[in-house]
Amino acid sequence: MADPTQDDYPTWMGMVFVFNLIIGTGALTLPAAFSRAGWLGGSVMVLLVGFISYVTVTFVIEAMASANAILHLRNALKRRVARDRPGASDSDTDTAENSPLVTDDGDGTPFSLTSRVEMGEMATIYFTGTGVAVFYLCLAIYLYGDLSIYAAAIGTSLKDVICTAPNITDPSGPCWPNHTFRRIDCYRACVVATGLILGPFVFFNVQKTKYIQILTVIFRWFAFTSMIVMAVSRLISDGVQGHPGPVVPSGIPSLFGTCIYSFMCHHSLPSLLAPVREKRHLTWQLPLDFVLIAIFYILLALTGVFAFDHLDDLYTLNFLENPGEGFTRVIDYFLALFPVFTLSASLPIVAITLKHNLEAILVAGRRTSLACRALLPLLALLPAFAVTLLTDSLSSLVGFTGTYAGAGVQYITPVALVYCARRQIATVMPSAPVNPHRSPFYSNKWLLIVVLWCALGVVLVTVNFFTRVANPP
């Protein structure tokens, strides 16, 4: 059942939370993807994906408001049934008589965002059993990819700080001069250590405290601001080092998946927007948030592709290749370890979320033994870390996760939710007023546009993948 919000905050704070949620690991892989797609092609792709992502965000908001109305209607009907049952008390009768069939936000409409209705609960409201299973499966695959990306980012960052041998591009090269221990061995050891240290937390329902969130936000803003400032400083002092072309068609497909991953926030929107106090301001503050995010991404990527002649999959590692002196050297090492600081706090939370989704798919409320439930954390951790041990290519992990599972969560699911929500509202509440949280992209043509955009991107990425396999460089 949806939980009513306990704590509220102003709209601008909700937009800060959305901004911080979106600006994450995907941004660290964006400059390298930009360099392969071209500075102009990358900029256009960021704007297009950002716009389509905002469109589907409005679909999620509309579906959430409709779900609130449907749940309120169901609760009111239950109270009416309770009133009519034999032996009902006078207090039950009075409560049912005085309860409206639908509640509202005080403006005469039954639609609201006051109760947090997560995407999983919306799926159970709007979809059949098969649809719910497909949704949870898609979300689980996305979370598996997310977990692998986090583990790979932590392992790669630690490996590049620990290893001191000059040849950093060869994974089979030595970790230290005149030593047989390879860089790939160090990477795998760091991944295993990450799993052993953080994995036990997944067996418990630990939650991210507000203090960890605040600390993570401070680290994130300091790191991203430092990266932009230091890249601009390098451009001023050393001149242009990178010379990407304006458009490189072969790099566009991989950038598609990276951009989708970089704009992902849909699965957490209900938790972020339900506590917002003045929800009417969302209509202009949310698109402004997306515009600022797109500008931030383009600024981060463009300064990077021109400041460095070679870009690592994890952008922070570029600052470690030629560290400065004094305080600048400290900042360079902080940036190299930035994914370790921030993702170590988030990795157990992602794994716990994945565990709960696996439980929804496999257990589905049935009574099971304690041993069976104890295996769920291992089922969440082991496949993700196995993939991470097999590859240290963050660009491949981000591209695959964003293109396939990410497209399902960010494009297909919102379209399906809002389409089914409109049909269900028309059936159960035919005389209901217009949903005030209705998407400005209300026409069914927009649903078709999003589906076609998703299909085009997935086809291009798939064709590009098989082309690269058939014709390796």
Side-chain angles (χ1 to χ4, degrees), residues 265-305:
C265 67
H266 301 61
H267 55 299
S268 299
L269 269 179
S271 298
L272 295 177
L273 298 185
V276 170
R277 193 176 303 138
E278 297 291 339
K279 295 180 175 62
R280 65 178 182 274
H281 295 323
L282 292 174
T283 54
W284 65 271
Q285 289 193 3
L286 198 57
L288 177 62
D289 220 24
F290 270 77
V291 170
L292 293 176
I293 291 167
I295 293 173
F296 183 87
Y297 278 161
I298 292 173
L299 182 62
L300 178 73
L302 288 182
T303 55
V305 297

Side-chain angles (χ1 to χ4, degrees), residues 77-369:
L77 291 175
K78 287 180 181 178
R79 290 193 295 269
R80 293 290 175 90
V81 171
R83 177 202 63 184
D84 296 334
R85 75 175 187 271
S89 65
D90 292 339
S91 60
D92 289 339
T93 302
D94 292 340
T95 300
E97 289 288 355
N98 296 323
S99 298
L101 276 180
V102 291
T103 59
D104 56 56
D105 277 339
D107 54 2
T109 174
F111 301 96
S112 73
L113 303 175
T114 53
S115 293
R116 185 180 67 248
V117 187
E118 301 290 354
M119 287 186 73
E121 187 172 0
M122 282 190 263
T124 61
I125 293 173
Y126 300 131
F127 300 159
T128 62
T130 303
V132 173
V134 170
F135 165 77
Y136 277 111
L137 182 61
C138 183
L139 185 58
I141 294 173
Y142 172 79
L143 292 172
Y144 268 123
D146 217 15
L147 202 55
S148 296
I149 291 166
Y150 281 20
I154 293 172
T156 301
S157 300
L158 289 173
K159 177 254 297 179
D160 277 61
V161 171
I162 294 172
C163 295
T164 58
N167 187 7
I168 65 173
T169 58
D170 183 11
S172 299
C175 186
W176 301 288
N178 303 319
H179 204 284
T180 57
F181 190 64
R182 301 178 303 167
R183 299 181 69 88
I184 189 65
D185 297 328
C186 181
Y187 164 77
R188 288 169 178 162
C190 292
V191 170
V192 171
T194 300
L196 293 176
I197 294 172
L198 301 178
F201 291 102
V202 186
F203 288 83
F204 309 97
N205 286 326
V206 296
Q207 297 298 323
K208 193 190 307 181
T209 67
K210 103 178 145 177
Y211 301 106
I212 294 178
Q213 290 186 49
I214 292 172
L215 186 62
T216 302
V217 167
I218 293 173
F219 276 160
R220 180 176 297 163
W221 275 97
F222 180 75
F224 281 113
T225 304
S226 298
M227 283 185 277
I228 293 175
V229 170
M230 293 179 72
V232 172
S233 176
R234 286 173 183 262
L235 284 171
I236 295 174
S237 61
D238 302 333
V240 175
Q241 300 297 310
H243 300 86
V247 179
V248 183
S250 61
I252 296 295
S254 62
L255 180 61
F256 176 80
T258 303
C259 288
I260 291 179
Y261 186 78
S262 299
F263 277 100
M264 180 64 72
C265 67
H266 301 61
H267 55 299
S268 299
L269 269 179
S271 298
L272 295 177
L273 298 185
V276 170
R277 193 176 303 138
E278 297 291 339
K279 295 180 175 62
R280 65 178 182 274
H281 295 323
L282 292 174
T283 54
W284 65 271
Q285 289 193 3
L286 198 57
L288 177 62
D289 220 24
F290 270 77
V291 170
L292 293 176
I293 291 167
I295 293 173
F296 183 87
Y297 278 161
I298 292 173
L299 182 62
L300 178 73
L302 288 182
T303 55
V305 297
F306 289 111
F308 298 94
D309 58 352
H310 165 75
L311 285 170
D312 287 290
D313 283 347
L314 200 61
Y315 183 46
T316 50
L317 299 179
N318 280 96
F319 298 91
L320 189 62
E321 294 178 8
N322 297 296
E325 299 296 332
F327 181 70
T328 303
R329 190 180 187 88
V330 174
I331 298 299
D332 287 333
Y333 274 93
F334 167 79
L335 291 178
L337 291 171
F338 164 69
V340 180
F341 298 143
T342 57
L343 300 183
S344 294
S346 301
L347 189 146
I349 308 301
V350 174
I352 290 170
T353 303
L354 174 58
K355 178 184 70 174
H356 291 159
N357 279 276
L358 292 175
E359 185 176 1
I361 297 172
L362 302 175
V363 178
R366 297 188 298 271
R367 295 179 63 88
T368 56
S369 65

Side-chain angles (χ1 to χ4, degrees), residues 386-398:
V387 171
T388 308
L389 289 172
L390 292 174
T391 178
D392 61 346
S393 175
L394 271 170
S395 60
S396 298
L397 289 172
V398 170

